[in-house]
Amino acid sequence: MTSPPVAPYVAPFRRTGVYLDHNATAPLKPEVKAAMGQAMDLVGNPSSVHAFGRNARRAVEEARAAVAALVGVKPAQVLFTGSGTEANNFALRGFPGRRTLTSVIEHESVLAAQPEAERFGVDRDGVAHLDELERRLAAASNPALVSLMLVNNETGVIQPVADAARIAHAHGALAHCDAVQAAGRMPLSLRALGVDLMTLSAHKLGGPTGVGALILTEGLEPDALIRGGGQERRKRAGTENLLGIVGFGAAARLALDGLAEAADLASLRDRLEREALAAVPHARAMGAGAARVANTSCLMLAGLPGETQVMTLDLAGVAVSAGSACSSGKVKPSHVLAAMGEDDRSAASAIRVSLGWTSDDEAVDRFLTAWTAMARRSAPADG
């Protein structure tokens, strides 16, 4: 007797909608999907010594080389993980005994990895106060680790990571950079930034979910994250996620080749903000006074909760987010905007619009039509 076909768990991606949430997850690129489809035909464990295993190992190492090229390092400096969150935990928990210093605007995976860490602040545009970092490092002589993200996931503001790394090293500290939101959107170099550790994630690049990487400077040896086997230089035991790693490699190649196209998104983002703020003068673009990556806009519409805006836009077929996707389901003010000096009511009234490889002028038009209509309906009676 033939079994009935298994129904898909989720509906197919709706092409009729407008997806403007690339900072949460970029849609899988067709070339990545094709590479992963080919990898499905590989048989064998990458740790096995027979021909099947060697073929699987070759695919892993080719992907490792592609990820290494994206950030200008040797393949041996790339350790694959299950996510960017895991890589951040790996970095911050891999050096026990060191005091940890992070900015107040880091991703939750950094803040939660070391909840006892010292925090240094940011200015009104969301740029880290490095003088405060230096004072904190100078206040104690015990070894430290400094973590500063390269691009903020909510505002797109670019942080002075290279300067922070120089300050850290001058005080004998290690420097870690969460570059998850920077990869594929700006040139990346571990050496140019001067950091010792860097975090990446595949699904922000148009790759698959469930795979990330921790990049290490040569000679640096954090404690093992998972023990039990020889995978990933005995730092993360467990059979490798072959399909995910192959997809990560394909996405990294495309990201490196497409940096010019990523920068072109600035014209779309700038038009979106220009027309949105012209139509709704009481709205604000957060972090606009600082350098930002080209794809991200954080719009604050005082008086209308971000969650309400997200739901209203979703009903209009436009997908955006309120803050970090990793905090979805939590109705609370953005800790990033609060750190930038906004009160709770204002910090809870922002949405993030993040463009990517599927974005075009029509998508921006759809957003503007829906968002400005919503904003005008909610405008205060006095204008």
Side-chain angles (χ1 to χ4, degrees):
M1 183 176 179
T2 304
S3 299
V6 178
Y9 180 65
V10 292
F13 180 66
R14 291 189 306 159
R15 294 291 179 183
T16 55
V18 173
Y19 188 80
L20 298 175
D21 201 15
H22 281 250
N23 283 13
T25 290
L28 194 69
K29 291 183 176 179
E31 300 92 334
V32 174
K33 184 177 181 180
M36 294 175 69
Q38 292 176 357
M40 287 182 180
D41 292 329
L42 292 172
V43 177
N45 189 309
S47 296
S48 298
V49 298
H50 49 59
F52 295 98
R54 293 198 304 273
N55 283 338
R57 171 56 54 191
R58 186 177 302 112
V60 168
E61 296 311 319
E62 287 176 357
R64 195 187 309 276
V67 174
L70 181 63
V71 295
V73 301
K74 298 176 182 177
Q77 295 174 247
V78 177
L79 296 182
F80 287 119
T81 65
S83 63
T85 290
E86 184 182 298
N88 279 339
N89 275 261
F90 196 172
L92 271 72
R93 301 176 69 87
F95 303 92
R98 285 182 176 264
R99 57 193 279 248
T100 305
L101 299 93
T102 74
S103 83
V104 294
I105 59 166
E106 298 300 311
H107 189 271
E108 289 287 352
S109 60
V110 167
L111 299 178
Q114 289 287 11
E116 72 282 4
E118 299 176 48
R119 316 288 186 205
F120 51 95
V122 298
D123 64 19
R124 290 286 302 184
D125 284 316
V127 180
H129 282 308
L130 297 189
D131 53 346
E132 182 182 349
L133 169 64
E134 186 155 29
R135 286 197 302 270
R136 289 181 176 274
L137 284 170
S141 59
N142 51 318
L145 184 149
V146 174
S147 184
L148 178 61
M149 63 187 357
L150 184 52
V151 170
N152 183 262
N153 50 302
E154 294 188 28
T155 64
V157 170
I158 299 171
Q159 300 298 321
V161 169
D163 291 335
R166 282 194 290 271
I167 292 170
H169 291 156
H171 291 274
L174 294 175
H176 165 250
C177 170
D178 176 350
V180 163
Q181 296 291 352
R185 295 169 187 156
M186 59 187 290
L188 270 184
S189 166
L190 187 82
R191 177 175 295 180
L193 290 173
V195 294
D196 303 289
L197 308 102
M198 178 187 289
T199 295
L200 301 176
S201 182
H203 73 111
K204 311 298 186 180
L205 303 171
T209 56
V211 59
L214 181 64
I215 315 299
L216 303 172
T217 191
E218 290 186 280
L220 191 63
E221 294 292 338
D223 281 2
L225 177 66
I226 302 174
R227 302 175 190 275
Q231 295 88 355
E232 300 306 298
R233 289 170 35 195
R234 295 193 175 275
K235 298 300 182 184
R236 186 188 188 267
T239 302
E240 295 90 346
N241 173 8
L242 180 59
L243 297 183
I245 289 171
V246 167
F248 196 173
R253 292 185 196 95
L254 293 169
L256 188 58
D257 292 340
L259 285 174
E261 289 82 356
D264 289 342
L265 289 174
S267 61
L268 274 182
R269 191 272 314 275
D270 291 347
R271 180 171 82 83
L272 184 152
E273 289 185 354
R274 183 173 62 251
E275 296 185 18
L277 299 185
V280 187
H282 63 282
R284 287 187 285 158
M286 306 307 296
R292 293 179 292 167
V293 286
N295 80 310
T296 304
S297 179
C298 180
L299 294 176
M300 180 180 289
L301 187 56
L304 190 61
E307 293 289 337
T308 300
Q309 296 181 56
V310 169
M311 290 186 288
T312 302
L313 290 169
D314 186 47
L315 291 173
V318 179
V320 300
S321 67
S324 169
C326 296
S327 298
S328 60
K330 303 175 184 177
V331 182
K332 63 178 184 178
S334 161
H335 74 281
V336 173
L337 300 183
M340 292 165 62
E342 301 297 331
D343 59 35
D344 284 354
R345 186 167 181 268
S346 296
S349 67
I351 61 170
R352 179 185 67 190
V353 184
S354 48
L355 313 175
W357 70 270
T358 63
S359 304
D360 55 19
D361 281 298
E362 182 181 354
V364 170
D365 290 339
R366 288 275 301 274
F367 168 80
L368 288 168
T369 298
W371 186 80
T372 54
M374 173 187 65
R376 286 167 176 162
R377 289 195 301 270
S378 66
D382 60 2

Short mmCIF file of all heavy atoms in Angstrom, two decimals, residues 317-368:
data_model
loop_
_atom_site.label_atom_id
_atom_site.label_comp_id
_atom_site.label_asym_id
_atom_site.label_seq_id
_atom_site.Cartn_x
_atom_site.Cartn_y
_atom_site.Cartn_z
N GLY A 317 0.75 43.31 3.12
CA GLY A 317 1.65 42.51 2.31
C GLY A 317 3.09 42.97 2.32
O GLY A 317 3.86 42.64 1.42
N VAL A 318 3.48 43.72 3.36
CA VAL A 318 4.85 44.23 3.47
C VAL A 318 5.46 43.70 4.76
O VAL A 318 4.93 43.92 5.85
CB VAL A 318 4.88 45.77 3.47
CG1 VAL A 318 6.31 46.28 3.60
CG2 VAL A 318 4.24 46.32 2.20
N ALA A 319 6.59 43.01 4.65
CA ALA A 319 7.24 42.40 5.80
C ALA A 319 8.42 43.25 6.26
O ALA A 319 9.39 43.44 5.52
CB ALA A 319 7.73 41.00 5.46
N VAL A 320 8.34 43.76 7.49
CA VAL A 320 9.45 44.45 8.16
C VAL A 320 9.50 43.88 9.57
O VAL A 320 8.78 42.94 9.90
CB VAL A 320 9.25 45.98 8.18
CG1 VAL A 320 9.17 46.54 6.76
CG2 VAL A 320 8.01 46.36 8.98
N SER A 321 10.35 44.44 10.42
CA SER A 321 10.41 43.96 11.80
C SER A 321 10.50 45.11 12.77
O SER A 321 10.77 46.25 12.39
CB SER A 321 11.59 43.01 11.99
OG SER A 321 12.81 43.70 11.85
N ALA A 322 10.24 44.79 14.03
CA ALA A 322 10.41 45.76 15.12
C ALA A 322 11.60 45.28 15.94
O ALA A 322 11.49 44.35 16.72
CB ALA A 322 9.16 45.84 15.98
N GLY A 323 12.75 45.87 15.72
CA GLY A 323 13.95 45.47 16.44
C GLY A 323 14.52 44.19 15.89
O GLY A 323 14.32 43.83 14.72
N SER A 324 15.22 43.45 16.74
CA SER A 324 15.90 42.23 16.33
C SER A 324 14.91 41.08 16.22
O SER A 324 14.05 40.90 17.08
CB SER A 324 16.98 41.87 17.36
OG SER A 324 17.48 40.57 17.13
N ALA A 325 15.06 40.27 15.16
CA ALA A 325 14.18 39.10 15.00
C ALA A 325 14.37 38.12 16.15
O ALA A 325 13.47 37.37 16.48
CB ALA A 325 14.47 38.41 13.67
N CYS A 326 15.55 38.10 16.76
CA CYS A 326 15.81 37.18 17.86
C CYS A 326 15.05 37.57 19.12
O CYS A 326 15.03 36.84 20.09
CB CYS A 326 17.31 37.13 18.16
SG CYS A 326 18.26 36.47 16.77
N SER A 327 14.43 38.76 19.10
CA SER A 327 13.62 39.19 20.23
C SER A 327 12.14 39.18 19.89
O SER A 327 11.33 39.76 20.61
CB SER A 327 14.04 40.61 20.67
OG SER A 327 15.38 40.63 21.09
N SER A 328 11.77 38.57 18.75
CA SER A 328 10.37 38.57 18.34
C SER A 328 9.53 37.88 19.41
O SER A 328 9.94 36.93 20.04
CB SER A 328 10.22 37.84 17.01
OG SER A 328 10.66 36.51 17.11
N GLY A 329 8.33 38.41 19.58
CA GLY A 329 7.46 37.87 20.62
C GLY A 329 7.62 38.59 21.95
O GLY A 329 6.81 38.41 22.85
N LYS A 330 8.65 39.41 22.08
CA LYS A 330 8.88 40.16 23.30
C LYS A 330 8.49 41.61 23.05
O LYS A 330 9.17 42.32 22.31
CB LYS A 330 10.35 40.09 23.73
CG LYS A 330 10.88 38.67 23.93
CD LYS A 330 12.36 38.71 24.24
CE LYS A 330 12.96 37.32 24.34
NZ LYS A 330 14.42 37.36 24.56
N VAL A 331 7.40 42.04 23.61
CA VAL A 331 6.96 43.42 23.42
C VAL A 331 7.68 44.28 24.45
O VAL A 331 7.25 44.42 25.60
CB VAL A 331 5.44 43.53 23.55
CG1 VAL A 331 5.00 44.97 23.31
CG2 VAL A 331 4.76 42.59 22.58
N LYS A 332 8.80 44.83 24.07
CA LYS A 332 9.57 45.67 24.98
C LYS A 332 10.33 46.69 24.15
O LYS A 332 10.58 46.48 22.95
CB LYS A 332 10.54 44.83 25.80
CG LYS A 332 11.60 44.11 24.99
CD LYS A 332 12.57 43.34 25.89
CE LYS A 332 13.69 42.71 25.08
NZ LYS A 332 14.65 41.99 25.95
N PRO A 333 10.70 47.81 24.75
CA PRO A 333 11.44 48.82 24.00
C PRO A 333 12.79 48.30 23.53
O PRO A 333 13.39 47.42 24.15
CB PRO A 333 11.62 49.95 25.02
CG PRO A 333 10.59 49.70 26.07
CD PRO A 333 10.41 48.22 26.12
N SER A 334 13.26 48.84 22.43
CA SER A 334 14.56 48.46 21.90
C SER A 334 15.67 48.91 22.85
O SER A 334 15.76 50.08 23.20
CB SER A 334 14.78 49.11 20.53
OG SER A 334 16.14 49.13 20.18
N HIS A 335 16.52 47.96 23.27
CA HIS A 335 17.64 48.34 24.13
C HIS A 335 18.65 49.20 23.38
O HIS A 335 19.37 49.99 23.97
CB HIS A 335 18.32 47.10 24.71
CG HIS A 335 19.15 46.33 23.74
ND1 HIS A 335 18.63 45.46 22.81
CD2 HIS A 335 20.50 46.30 23.54
CE1 HIS A 335 19.61 44.93 22.10
NE2 HIS A 335 20.75 45.42 22.52
N VAL A 336 18.68 49.06 22.06
CA VAL A 336 19.59 49.87 21.24
C VAL A 336 19.15 51.33 21.25
O VAL A 336 19.95 52.24 21.51
CB VAL A 336 19.64 49.32 19.80
CG1 VAL A 336 20.45 50.25 18.90
CG2 VAL A 336 20.21 47.91 19.77
N LEU A 337 17.87 51.57 20.99
CA LEU A 337 17.37 52.94 20.96
C LEU A 337 17.37 53.56 22.36
O LEU A 337 17.62 54.76 22.51
CB LEU A 337 15.97 52.98 20.35
CG LEU A 337 15.89 52.47 18.90
CD1 LEU A 337 14.47 52.61 18.37
CD2 LEU A 337 16.88 53.19 18.00
N ALA A 338 17.12 52.76 23.37
CA ALA A 338 17.21 53.26 24.75
C ALA A 338 18.63 53.72 25.05
O ALA A 338 18.85 54.76 25.70
CB ALA A 338 16.76 52.19 25.73
N ALA A 339 19.62 52.95 24.58
CA ALA A 339 21.01 53.32 24.80
C ALA A 339 21.37 54.60 24.06
O ALA A 339 22.30 55.32 24.45
CB ALA A 339 21.93 52.19 24.35
N MET A 340 20.64 54.90 22.99
CA MET A 340 20.86 56.13 22.22
C MET A 340 20.15 57.33 22.83
O MET A 340 20.18 58.42 22.26
CB MET A 340 20.42 55.91 20.77
CG MET A 340 21.29 54.91 20.02
SD MET A 340 20.57 54.30 18.46
CE MET A 340 20.44 55.81 17.48
N GLY A 341 19.50 57.12 23.98
CA GLY A 341 18.89 58.23 24.70
C GLY A 341 17.40 58.37 24.54
O GLY A 341 16.82 59.34 25.04
N GLU A 342 16.74 57.42 23.88
CA GLU A 342 15.29 57.51 23.69
C GLU A 342 14.57 56.97 24.92
O GLU A 342 15.02 56.02 25.55
CB GLU A 342 14.87 56.71 22.45
CG GLU A 342 15.51 57.17 21.15
CD GLU A 342 15.13 58.60 20.78
OE1 GLU A 342 14.01 59.04 21.15
OE2 GLU A 342 15.95 59.28 20.12
N ASP A 343 13.42 57.60 25.25
CA ASP A 343 12.63 57.08 26.35
C ASP A 343 11.91 55.80 25.91
O ASP A 343 11.91 55.45 24.72
CB ASP A 343 11.63 58.13 26.87
CG ASP A 343 10.65 58.61 25.80
OD1 ASP A 343 10.25 57.81 24.93
OD2 ASP A 343 10.28 59.80 25.83
N ASP A 344 11.31 55.10 26.87
CA ASP A 344 10.71 53.80 26.57
C ASP A 344 9.64 53.90 25.49
O ASP A 344 9.54 53.03 24.62
CB ASP A 344 10.10 53.19 27.84
CG ASP A 344 11.17 52.62 28.76
OD1 ASP A 344 12.35 52.60 28.36
OD2 ASP A 344 10.82 52.20 29.89
N ARG A 345 8.82 54.94 25.55
CA ARG A 345 7.72 55.07 24.59
C ARG A 345 8.27 55.25 23.18
O ARG A 345 7.80 54.61 22.23
CB ARG A 345 6.83 56.25 24.96
CG ARG A 345 5.57 56.40 24.10
CD ARG A 345 4.61 57.39 24.74
NE ARG A 345 3.38 57.55 23.97
CZ ARG A 345 3.20 58.47 23.04
NH1 ARG A 345 4.17 59.34 22.77
NH2 ARG A 345 2.05 58.56 22.39
N SER A 346 9.28 56.08 23.04
CA SER A 346 9.88 56.29 21.72
C SER A 346 10.63 55.06 21.25
O SER A 346 10.54 54.66 20.08
CB SER A 346 10.83 57.50 21.75
OG SER A 346 10.12 58.69 22.02
N ALA A 347 11.37 54.43 22.17
CA ALA A 347 12.17 53.26 21.81
C ALA A 347 11.31 52.08 21.38
O ALA A 347 11.79 51.17 20.70
CB ALA A 347 13.06 52.86 22.97
N ALA A 348 10.02 52.10 21.79
CA ALA A 348 9.12 51.02 21.40
C ALA A 348 8.34 51.34 20.13
O ALA A 348 7.50 50.54 19.71
CB ALA A 348 8.14 50.73 22.54
N SER A 349 8.62 52.46 19.50
CA SER A 349 7.81 52.90 18.36
C SER A 349 8.59 52.89 17.05
O SER A 349 8.25 53.60 16.12
CB SER A 349 7.25 54.30 18.61
OG SER A 349 8.31 55.26 18.64
N ALA A 350 9.64 52.07 16.98
CA ALA A 350 10.47 52.03 15.78
C ALA A 350 10.31 50.71 15.05
O ALA A 350 10.02 49.67 15.66
CB ALA A 350 11.94 52.24 16.14
N ILE A 351 10.50 50.76 13.75
CA ILE A 351 10.56 49.55 12.93
C ILE A 351 11.88 49.55 12.18
O ILE A 351 12.51 50.60 11.97
CB ILE A 351 9.40 49.44 11.93
CG1 ILE A 351 9.41 50.62 10.94
CG2 ILE A 351 8.07 49.32 12.65
CD1 ILE A 351 8.45 50.47 9.79
N ARG A 352 12.30 48.34 11.78
CA ARG A 352 13.51 48.20 10.96
C ARG A 352 13.11 47.74 9.57
O ARG A 352 12.43 46.73 9.41
CB ARG A 352 14.44 47.17 11.60
CG ARG A 352 15.72 46.94 10.80
CD ARG A 352 16.55 45.83 11.40
NE ARG A 352 15.88 44.53 11.28
CZ ARG A 352 16.29 43.43 11.89
NH1 ARG A 352 17.34 43.47 12.70
NH2 ARG A 352 15.64 42.29 11.74
N VAL A 353 13.55 48.50 8.59
CA VAL A 353 13.36 48.14 7.18
C VAL A 353 14.73 47.77 6.65
O VAL A 353 15.65 48.59 6.65
CB VAL A 353 12.78 49.32 6.37
CG1 VAL A 353 12.49 48.88 4.94
CG2 VAL A 353 11.52 49.86 7.04
N SER A 354 14.89 46.53 6.22
CA SER A 354 16.22 46.09 5.74
C SER A 354 16.10 45.49 4.34
O SER A 354 15.36 44.54 4.12
CB SER A 354 16.84 45.10 6.73
OG SER A 354 15.94 44.08 7.10
N LEU A 355 16.82 46.10 3.43
CA LEU A 355 16.80 45.72 2.02
C LEU A 355 17.82 44.64 1.73
O LEU A 355 18.71 44.38 2.53
CB LEU A 355 17.08 46.95 1.15
CG LEU A 355 16.30 48.23 1.48
CD1 LEU A 355 16.78 49.37 0.60
CD2 LEU A 355 14.81 48.03 1.34
N GLY A 356 17.69 44.05 0.56
CA GLY A 356 18.64 43.01 0.16
C GLY A 356 18.49 42.65 -1.30
O GLY A 356 17.96 43.44 -2.10
N TRP A 357 18.91 41.45 -1.65
CA TRP A 357 19.01 41.07 -3.06
C TRP A 357 17.65 40.96 -3.74
O TRP A 357 17.58 41.01 -4.98
CB TRP A 357 19.80 39.78 -3.21
CG TRP A 357 19.14 38.52 -2.73
CD1 TRP A 357 19.21 37.98 -1.48
CD2 TRP A 357 18.34 37.63 -3.51
NE1 TRP A 357 18.49 36.82 -1.43
CE2 TRP A 357 17.95 36.57 -2.66
CE3 TRP A 357 17.93 37.60 -4.84
CZ2 TRP A 357 17.15 35.51 -3.09
CZ3 TRP A 357 17.13 36.56 -5.27
CH2 TRP A 357 16.74 35.52 -4.41
N THR A 358 16.57 40.88 -3.00
CA THR A 358 15.24 40.83 -3.62
C THR A 358 14.59 42.21 -3.70
O THR A 358 13.47 42.33 -4.20
CB THR A 358 14.30 39.90 -2.81
OG1 THR A 358 14.13 40.44 -1.49
CG2 THR A 358 14.87 38.49 -2.72
N SER A 359 15.24 43.25 -3.21
CA SER A 359 14.63 44.58 -3.12
C SER A 359 14.78 45.37 -4.40
O SER A 359 15.80 45.29 -5.08
CB SER A 359 15.25 45.36 -1.95
OG SER A 359 15.14 44.65 -0.74
N ASP A 360 13.76 46.16 -4.71
CA ASP A 360 13.79 47.02 -5.90
C ASP A 360 12.90 48.24 -5.65
O ASP A 360 12.32 48.40 -4.56
CB ASP A 360 13.36 46.27 -7.16
CG ASP A 360 11.99 45.61 -7.03
OD1 ASP A 360 11.21 46.01 -6.13
OD2 ASP A 360 11.69 44.70 -7.83
N ASP A 361 12.79 49.10 -6.66
CA ASP A 361 11.98 50.32 -6.51
C ASP A 361 10.52 50.00 -6.23
O ASP A 361 9.86 50.71 -5.46
CB ASP A 361 12.10 51.19 -7.76
CG ASP A 361 13.39 51.99 -7.80
OD1 ASP A 361 13.59 52.83 -6.90
OD2 ASP A 361 14.20 51.79 -8.71
N GLU A 362 10.01 48.95 -6.84
CA GLU A 362 8.61 48.59 -6.61
C GLU A 362 8.38 48.21 -5.15
O GLU A 362 7.35 48.57 -4.55
CB GLU A 362 8.21 47.43 -7.52
CG GLU A 362 6.75 47.03 -7.37
CD GLU A 362 6.37 45.86 -8.26
OE1 GLU A 362 7.20 45.43 -9.08
OE2 GLU A 362 5.22 45.39 -8.13
N ALA A 363 9.34 47.51 -4.55
CA ALA A 363 9.22 47.14 -3.14
C ALA A 363 9.19 48.38 -2.25
O ALA A 363 8.40 48.47 -1.30
CB ALA A 363 10.37 46.22 -2.74
N VAL A 364 10.06 49.34 -2.56
CA VAL A 364 10.08 50.59 -1.79
C VAL A 364 8.77 51.34 -1.97
O VAL A 364 8.21 51.88 -1.00
CB VAL A 364 11.28 51.46 -2.22
CG1 VAL A 364 11.19 52.86 -1.61
CG2 VAL A 364 12.59 50.79 -1.80
N ASP A 365 8.24 51.36 -3.19
CA ASP A 365 6.95 52.03 -3.43
C ASP A 365 5.84 51.38 -2.61
O ASP A 365 5.02 52.09 -2.01
CB ASP A 365 6.59 51.94 -4.92
CG ASP A 365 7.47 52.81 -5.80
OD1 ASP A 365 8.09 53.75 -5.28
OD2 ASP A 365 7.55 52.53 -7.02
N ARG A 366 5.82 50.06 -2.57
CA ARG A 366 4.78 49.35 -1.80
C ARG A 366 4.89 49.70 -0.32
O ARG A 366 3.88 49.91 0.36
CB ARG A 366 4.93 47.84 -2.00
CG ARG A 366 4.52 47.31 -3.36
CD ARG A 366 3.02 47.02 -3.45
NE ARG A 366 2.57 46.05 -2.47
CZ ARG A 366 2.60 44.72 -2.65
NH1 ARG A 366 3.09 44.21 -3.77
NH2 ARG A 366 2.13 43.92 -1.72
N PHE A 367 6.11 49.73 0.19
CA PHE A 367 6.30 50.09 1.59
C PHE A 367 5.82 51.51 1.85
O PHE A 367 5.08 51.76 2.82
CB PHE A 367 7.76 49.96 2.00
CG PHE A 367 8.05 50.59 3.34
CD1 PHE A 367 7.76 49.92 4.51
CD2 PHE A 367 8.57 51.88 3.42
CE1 PHE A 367 7.98 50.52 5.75
CE2 PHE A 367 8.80 52.49 4.65
CZ PHE A 367 8.50 51.80 5.83
N LEU A 368 6.24 52.45 1.02
CA LEU A 368 5.89 53.85 1.25
C LEU A 368 4.38 54.07 1.23
O LEU A 368 3.84 54.81 2.06
CB LEU A 368 6.57 54.73 0.20
CG LEU A 368 8.09 54.90 0.36
CD1 LEU A 368 8.69 55.54 -0.90
CD2 LEU A 368 8.42 55.73 1.59
#
